[in-house]
Amino acid sequence: MGRLINIHYDSKPLYNINIEQDFSGLPAVFESLRLKNRKLCILTDSTVGSYYLDTVMGIAREYTARAVSYTFEAGEKSKNLDTIEDFYEKLIKEHFDRNDVIAALGGGVTGDMAGFAAATYLRGIRVVQIPSSLVAMVDSSIGGKTGVDFRGYKNMVGSFHQPSAVYINVSMLSTLTDGQYYSGFGEVVKHGLIRDMKYLDYIKDNYSGINSRDLSVLEEIVAGSCNIKRAVVENDPEEKGERAVLNFGHTLGHAIEKLKDFSMLHGECVSIGMAAAAYISMKRGMLSQAEYNGICQVLKDLELPVKADGLKAEDIINISKSDKKMDAGKIKFILLNGMGNAVICNDVTDSEMLEALNTVLA
Ligand code: GLY
């Protein structure tokens, strides 16, 4: 059956998100993009490529003039300008022109890099996102944020470049490790907490389908998250204002991710960051103690951590201040003013962050 979500900018349809349980709808997406006489280069990593590259290449060969691929070593360590340079070289050697297309087959690292390469190669070509991880399906493949890490600073170099299409096959979630799978629920819970408590109730009512990776439950969850993200990015495509609410849990989460040298997964770090941000919200009287406890419980129920060890609160705060979520020298912090209602605050003090971090540092 599948779901179709259309993303509009300036009230005009811009691209579709197809949510399916297999790849059977992908040929129609390639046809709608008129790829029959165009070349397509699939960017993937060594892990995702080993599972899905042959299948997607098979479809691409049939529905494009020429399909090629470029595979990089899986992991955040590859998310840099060196990999992008090698990828540009591949595109140049294959004579890719402005009408040819890149497809991202993989998780957030692949999607962000494919998007960045597409934004910059020949001043911009089209990119199709085929996300394989839950984080990429519900968050990074949508909304056009692209980029790479630079000298240890996460996503520091990048650009906004909207995809031409997003094709989500939720059955790809079956090949994720448990850690990667549950890590994706960090972003899923975030979407409920910032915008839609009914969505969070659906998550809480479906733990058994989540744990068994039931495809219908996953389709519902992915569609729900994509819709929340759609509503936010349509209003503020380039994060001039409200899109920053999507960074709930990320201010301290990114710093933890960096201090742990990416040994902890993104969603796990965001989970700890959300627990700390919820604590500050509670201390400010914006959440009750029961609501704060409830947030920590949902995260724990989804195998997500609400505590980190081996880190110093002061280091986390210092790193947060060199992150890009700053506004005139102040950290742009996202708090919850009630469940399902995220707000942007520029006045969170170091002592509030210290107190919150001391509750989440084991
Ligand atoms: N991942 C946050 C955003 O797309 O704005």
Side-chain angles (χ1 to χ4, degrees), residues 321-360:
K321 288 181 177 168
S322 61
D323 194 83
K324 62 190 175 332
K325 286 178 276 303
M326 298 290 286
D327 186 358
K330 295 197 170 212
I331 294 186
K332 219 190 296 173
F333 215 101
I334 313 305
L335 298 178
L336 294 180
N337 191 9
M339 301 290 274
N341 183 35
V343 288
I344 303 167
C345 295
N346 284 2
D347 62 349
V348 173
T349 63
D350 284 10
S351 68
E352 283 177 293
M353 282 190 270
L354 263 180
E355 187 185 337
L357 285 167
N358 284 328
T359 68
V360 299

Side-chain angles (χ1 to χ4, degrees), residues 64-115:
T64 66
R66 176 167 164 74
V68 295
S69 65
Y70 183 83
T71 302
F72 64 89
E73 198 187 325
E76 185 82 23
K77 293 261 183 286
S78 295
K79 192 178 177 183
N80 55 47
L81 292 171
D82 291 340
T83 311
I84 294 287
E85 279 187 22
D86 293 343
F87 187 48
Y88 289 148
E89 198 172 351
K90 172 81 181 171
L91 298 172
I92 292 165
K93 283 190 173 149
E94 292 286 348
H95 306 290
F96 267 55
D97 67 31
R98 282 217 171 110
N99 295 310
D100 296 324
V101 180
I102 293 170
L105 176 66
V109 169
T110 306
D112 284 6
M113 285 204 296

Side-chain angles (χ1 to χ4, degrees), residues 209-267:
I210 288 171
N211 291 334
S212 65
R213 305 194 195 190
D214 178 281
L215 293 184
S216 304
V217 170
L218 290 173
E219 191 181 301
E220 185 72 29
I221 289 173
V222 170
S225 256
C226 288
N227 255 320
I228 293 169
K229 180 142 188 186
R230 178 194 55 73
V232 176
V233 299
E234 280 184 344
N235 277 342
D236 179 19
E238 297 199 350
E239 202 170 304
K240 306 263 191 269
E242 82 164 270
R243 182 168 175 166
V245 297
L246 293 169
N247 293 330
F248 177 59
H250 286 60
T251 313
L252 300 174
H254 272 171
I256 294 169
E257 204 173 355
K258 182 174 176 189
L259 284 166
K260 286 280 181 185
D261 200 21
F262 300 100
S263 63
M264 277 177 82
L265 295 167
H266 177 70

Side-chain angles (χ1 to χ4, degrees), residues 126-275:
R126 291 180 293 169
V127 63
V128 177
Q129 295 282 350
I130 307 173
S132 62
S133 71
L134 188 53
V135 175
M137 288 179 191
V138 300
D139 187 24
S140 57
S141 67
I142 309 157
K145 277 191 179 174
T146 78
V148 291
D149 303 337
F150 183 73
R151 299 193 181 162
Y153 295 95
K154 195 169 157 70
N155 298 335
M156 195 48 101
V157 176
S159 128
F160 285 98
H161 184 68
Q162 301 301 332
S164 296
V166 180
Y167 188 88
I168 299 176
N169 167 3
V170 291
S171 77
M172 292 172 89
L173 298 172
S174 65
T175 45
L176 296 180
T177 62
D178 278 352
Q180 289 164 332
Y181 177 68
Y182 286 107
S183 156
F185 282 92
E187 302 290 351
V188 167
V189 171
K190 176 194 83 178
H191 283 139
L193 290 174
I194 63 168
R195 270 296 156 93
D196 187 347
M197 288 308 291
K198 279 207 187 102
Y199 176 63
L200 199 64
D201 288 342
Y202 179 84
I203 307 293
K204 290 199 248 176
D205 289 343
N206 283 280
Y207 285 150
S208 117
I210 288 171
N211 291 334
S212 65
R213 305 194 195 190
D214 178 281
L215 293 184
S216 304
V217 170
L218 290 173
E219 191 181 301
E220 185 72 29
I221 289 173
V222 170
S225 256
C226 288
N227 255 320
I228 293 169
K229 180 142 188 186
R230 178 194 55 73
V232 176
V233 299
E234 280 184 344
N235 277 342
D236 179 19
E238 297 199 350
E239 202 170 304
K240 306 263 191 269
E242 82 164 270
R243 182 168 175 166
V245 297
L246 293 169
N247 293 330
F248 177 59
H250 286 60
T251 313
L252 300 174
H254 272 171
I256 294 169
E257 204 173 355
K258 182 174 176 189
L259 284 166
K260 286 280 181 185
D261 200 21
F262 300 100
S263 63
M264 277 177 82
L265 295 167
H266 177 70
E268 295 172 342
C269 299
V270 167
S271 175
I272 296 164
M274 287 194 290

Side-chain angles (χ1 to χ4, degrees), residues 284-304:
R284 286 188 170 205
M286 295 155 75
L287 288 180
S288 68
Q289 172 89 46
E291 287 168 333
Y292 166 71
N293 292 343
I295 290 171
C296 293
Q297 191 56 50
V298 178
L299 295 169
K300 285 192 243 171
D301 288 344
L302 290 163
E303 313 283 335
L304 286 161

